Amino acid sequence: MSNSTMALIFVAFSLLTFSLSSATSIPTTLDGPFEPVTVPYDVSLRGNAVDLPDTDSRVQRIVNGFEPEQISVSLSVDYDSVWISWITGEYQIGYDIKPLNPENVKSVVHYGTIRHQLMHEATGYSQVYSQLYPFEGLQNYTSGIIHHVRLTGLKPNTLYYYQCGDPHIPAMSSLNHFRTMPSSSPQSYPGKIAVVGDLGLTYNTTDTVSHIASNKPDLLLLVGDVTYANLYLSNGTGSDCYSCSFPQSPIHETYQPRWDYWGRFMQSLISRVPIMVVEGNHEIEEQVDNQTFVAYSSRFAFPSEESQSSSTFYYSFNAGGIHFIMLGAYIAYDKSADQYKWLERDLAKVDRDVTPWLVAAWHPPWYTSYEAHYREAECMRVAMEDLLYSYGVDIVLNGHVHAYERSNRVYNYTLDPCAPIHITIGDGGNREKMAVRHADEPGLCPKPSTTPDKYMGGFCASNFTTGPAAGEFCWDHQPDYSAYRESSFGHGILEVKNATWALWTWYRNQDSEKVAGDQIYIVRQPDLCPVKSKVTKGWSDVR
């Protein structure tokens, strides 16, 4: 039996199996487009939207000397490689700081598939970064030594044990473990992929992360806005709204120790579950010489080089039969930009016979009906939407708006059965206010002049020329593209079942861990929606 025949049988069997699911209470995108639904805001949910203090035991430094802390795992482009990252040594903050010397501590990982026989060794590189302010009275910061080591030659879907650190000091971590991704094929997928945005480090964050951990994910996607360190002055004074509380600041300060607190708090999860991050606006963190995004680019490992990207702001990777594209909304994205040209090359190389699913993620949503950040990323949409649509992106994941919203399939504000589902999940638990007001409510439509993103600039959003909102900047009712919206803290879980069916579930923090706030089967229809595709001999010919 030929490879192509086997693949067709597999897809047919998958369709038969999951067609039965449509008879259950879980809807499918085949049942859509859906009438828009808005769940009323529960005012009791604001809760403890305050940051964990530095006195909380979960954020304090508990290692000694150059022992590793803030350990995390990130993926490379495919199952056979991962990155291990950690920090050694203490950060410094004040007016007279002296950076640590990275050459004084080696970057070593011992690893293997047997708990007490770590037969393999890998070495990597280390660095420190500083956050410097050329203004009197502002404190400067320099990090501990940040280590990144890439492990290669790994087997798919295999549990590996590891220790990281410097064995010569000696200063090695305790034993940790992670599981590699499945091999890339239409039959292989991670069990659960957790998705969260705008996480921060509040008491709401602790609930979100606890719920994520209880769902036992195989991979964690964080779609921007990590620590919210930039809601603090460099002396540690914080606020829910920086510009409101500190209007006279000569530069937008940050309190970099919040990054260290976040890394310590998250270690128990991301030292075993790979985390993939893309930048948000709260990672800009301007400093001396107009440098930006230094903490973000230094603290995480990215498969940029492996995916032929020249930037930490955009890259791609595979997780089984899913190809993920992480894009940067705060770096040039027009057709002449390096990012756009990279995206064209990356999409052209995607083989849908090997990775049927194509998922894209970036921070600010193109399709949101909330007043907050309404049509803010319109320039990015205008520049990139046609390209993503032509290659048949299935799902788009965003944050930025502090609420949850799932769209119908939409392209250029028009319902389209071949367009992606857009999911906004910027409700991880940050300190800023939850988004509760909608642009379609009377008197809440923003003025067009207020909508362009302050960082990227440009003005692309104007009144609609066609459709139900023709002649207006906002709809006068919940837009047709908005299928479901609700203002609650939570996270999402994506479970790809086969080459055409995937289950999306949104979990709210106020519910028990197993109660779904929103759930739908997302169904690909490759026969209905042909896309640009790389032609190969068959998925079984690929490792």
Side-chain angles (χ1 to χ4, degrees), residues 244-277:
C244 306
S245 300
F246 314 121
Q248 303 304 318
S249 299
I251 190 173
H252 191 134
E253 303 169 46
T254 76
Y255 187 61
Q256 288 295 296
R258 297 299 303 182
W259 280 95
D260 296 284
Y261 303 162
W262 189 90
R264 292 165 187 162
F265 175 80
M266 293 293 291
Q267 177 177 306
S268 62
L269 177 63
I270 62 178
S271 62
R272 55 186 175 84
V273 177
I275 180 172
M276 304 304 286
V277 184

Side-chain angles (χ1 to χ4, degrees), residues 307-358:
S307 59
Q308 285 76 57
S309 165
S310 60
S311 171
T312 60
F313 300 113
Y314 53 90
Y315 59 91
S316 65
F317 64 95
N318 292 334
I322 313 168
H323 186 72
F324 284 96
I325 297 173
M326 312 293 272
L327 297 177
Y330 304 100
I331 188 171
Y333 42 63
D334 57 52
K335 290 185 178 181
S336 64
D338 289 343
Q339 178 176 203
Y340 189 95
K341 294 174 182 176
W342 169 85
L343 178 59
E344 284 185 305
R345 294 192 301 269
D346 191 82
L347 287 169
K349 291 186 292 186
V350 176
D351 188 341
R352 303 302 280 270
D353 290 334
V354 178
T355 52
W357 288 85
L358 188 52

Side-chain angles (χ1 to χ4, degrees), residues 2 99 314 406 503 519:
S2 68
Y314 53 90
R406 170 176 54 82
L503 178 63
Q519 195 168 49

Side-chain angles (χ1 to χ4, degrees), residues 416-478:
D416 185 323
C418 297
I421 298 290
H422 290 252
I423 296 172
T424 299
I425 192 156
D427 58 346
N430 64 83
R431 182 172 175 171
E432 292 182 316
K433 293 180 181 179
M434 184 180 290
V436 299
R437 308 199 313 177
H438 307 111
D440 48 86
E441 296 178 54
L444 294 185
C445 180
K447 294 181 179 179
S449 61
T450 67
T451 58
D453 175 70
K454 297 176 182 178
Y455 184 72
M456 287 304 297
F459 185 79
C460 300
S462 57
N463 286 357
F464 293 102
T465 57
T466 59
E472 303 294 335
F473 190 70
C474 301
W475 297 55
D476 62 3
H477 58 278
Q478 184 173 356

